[in-house]
Every structure is written in structure tokens, then in C-alpha cells.
Amino acid sequence: MSQATSIHHDELSNDEIDARIHLSIIDAILDHQLPPGTRLVEAPLCEAFGVTRGTLRRVFVKLAHEGVIDLQPNRGAVIAMHDIKEAREVFEARVIVESGSVKSLAGKRRRLPELREMVKREHALREQGNWGDWIRLSGEFHIKLAEANQNNIVTGYLRTLIARSSLLIGLYETPKRNSCSADEHVAILDAIEQGDGEQAARLMAHHLGEYASELLTEPNQPKEIDFGKLFSPVRSV
């Protein structure tokens, strides 16, 4: 379930309230609690967040602009479905952003013990067969790697791309495949800490490119979502 902080309307500006709702929806996507094709019904969502339809629709416009949802006539907001061409384009964008990011980070020759620990947890979750948590932690690894560069614009853009990647994984991925492996993450960290930017960029490009090339083609069916239960942590109390 989304871990976003509760929204206290008296303490936050409209922009801050919008940002909290936006982050909560993105987090739910990353948690695979809002699969592709899910209709975002306004009434229960407004109740869950404790906001007006106008506030919710502002967030929907932002999510639609980011490609995370589709605004469809007579259906409203729907978590985006993607075809294979779009899937490749999303991962190609990640290659461009993340290869440049790790190359820049390697130039700083920083040690990254927190990310090393994340990789260990990734491996343990995979060995335990804990698929959902492993997928989320893998995405968080990539976000934390971007955050280490201390560029908020890159990190924000990547967070959106990873949310879209999570949609694609929900459509095309199966637990049987050994994609986005912890070993590849270790190799990328090694190159960064050794200051080898070119190698770090090559490894990241291969890592994401290989993942995209192996995506499956059969989408899963959307399921019913209890928005009140899903977003109860962000409702004002």
C-alpha cells in the first residue's frame, strides 16, 4: 500500500495537495496496486483523498501529460495501456537518462553503501520468490541511483519513467524470467565506484536494453480496485 504521508488540507497549499495525490497514485502503480486498464473512478477517489473533483482532475491532467493515464471520452481516467512500440520507447528513454546519470555519477567517484545494501535485499527477495516486493525494490534502486547525482529534474523525470515501466512490467512480465538482475546492479555500482563512467554507461544501457527486448506481449486483465482501502493512508484525519 502507498506509504505517502496523510494530507492535512489546513497545512498544505493546493500545489502541495496535488503533489501528494500525484505521488500516491504513482506509488500505487509502482506497488502494482493499479494495473494497466484500471479505471480511476472520481467519486471514490475524491472520498479516499478527501478532495474535490476539481483537485483530482488537476492531478489527472498532469498524469495524462506524463503518459501514466489516458483520459478517455465516456470512461474518464484509465491507467495507461501500452503497445510494444511504446514499451520500447519508454525503456529507450530510460537508457538515455540513466546512462548519462551513471556516467556523471562515476565522475564523482562516490561510494554507495546504501545501494549495495539494496542490491543484497533484492537478491534475498528474489531467492524467496517475493516477486512484488522485488520488482518495487528494483525500481527504487534505479531511483536512488539517480538521486545520488543530486539532480532533482533528472530524478523526477526518471520517477515518472519508472512508473510507466511498472505499467509495462504489469502487462508483459512474468515472475519466471530473470530480468533486471541484482548481479547487473552490482556491476554498475562497481563501475561507478571505480570512476569508470564509460563502463557504467555501457552496463546500464545493456541492462535496460536487454530487459526491454525480452518483454512479453500478452497483457493481463485489469481488476476491481477498492480506492478507499488503497488510499486510506493519505485521507485527512
Side-chain angles (χ1 to χ4, degrees):
M1 182 173 291
S2 172
Q3 299 300 309
T5 306
S6 297
I7 298 175
H8 299 282
H9 292 183
D10 294 338
E11 302 172 5
L12 300 177
S13 68
N14 286 340
D15 286 347
E16 289 171 327
I17 291 169
D18 291 0
R20 294 290 181 90
I21 297 171
H22 177 274
L23 180 61
S24 297
I25 292 173
I26 292 291
D27 280 350
I29 292 169
L30 290 174
D31 279 334
H32 292 261
Q33 294 173 313
L34 290 176
T38 300
R39 182 169 172 251
L40 299 178
V41 185
E42 289 187 3
L45 279 170
C46 288
E47 176 68 20
F49 289 123
V51 298
T52 66
R53 288 177 184 263
T55 297
L56 187 64
R57 286 171 183 171
R58 286 199 306 267
V59 177
F60 282 175
V61 169
K62 178 175 174 60
L63 289 167
H65 178 72
E66 295 168 342
V68 174
I69 68 172
D70 292 325
L71 296 178
Q72 301 178 351
N74 303 320
R75 288 201 72 201
V78 178
I79 300 296
M81 304 281 284
H82 297 270
D83 60 25
I84 291 299
K85 180 177 182 293
E86 283 183 282
R88 298 277 159 69
E89 288 176 351
V90 169
F91 277 94
E92 183 176 306
R94 283 190 61 181
V95 168
I96 293 168
V97 172
E98 295 192 65
S99 295
S101 182
V102 296
K103 183 176 181 179
S104 174
L105 187 57
K108 301 171 185 175
R109 297 187 69 92
R110 292 185 54 192
R111 296 193 64 79
L112 303 167
E114 179 184 358
L115 285 161
R116 297 271 182 192
E117 288 301 314
M118 288 185 74
V119 172
K120 290 179 182 178
R121 295 201 301 275
E122 276 187 77
H123 181 74
L125 288 170
R126 185 78 189 201
E127 290 296 306
Q128 294 162 11
N130 193 334
W131 176 247
D133 286 346
W134 174 77
I135 285 290
R136 178 171 178 80
L137 188 59
S138 178
E140 287 182 355
F141 170 88
H142 286 265
I143 291 170
K144 289 293 185 184
L145 196 57
E147 287 178 347
N149 242 328
Q150 299 180 328
N151 185 315
N152 292 333
I153 293 175
V154 169
T155 300
Y157 184 46
L158 182 59
R159 192 177 290 274
T160 298
L161 284 174
I162 287 175
R164 294 184 71 177
S165 300
S166 185
L167 295 176
L168 298 169
I169 292 167
L171 277 169
Y172 305 123
E173 180 67 285
T174 68
K176 298 177 182 179
R177 291 175 49 247
N178 187 28
S179 53
C180 203
S181 75
D183 289 343
E184 291 176 355
H185 286 175
V186 169
I188 291 167
L189 289 177
D190 287 344
I192 290 170
E193 292 187 348
Q194 292 163 10
D196 191 340
E198 295 294 337
Q199 176 69 352
R202 280 194 298 271
L203 289 170
M204 181 62 79
H206 176 76
H207 174 59
L208 293 172
E210 184 177 52
Y211 190 94
S213 70
E214 294 178 358
L215 286 175
L216 303 182
T217 58
E218 291 298 324
N220 295 319
Q221 294 298 312
K223 60 182 180 181
E224 290 290 324
I225 305 295
D226 184 338
F227 295 115
K229 182 178 180 181
L230 176 60
F231 293 117
S232 59
V234 297
R235 173 72 187 272
S236 296
V237 293

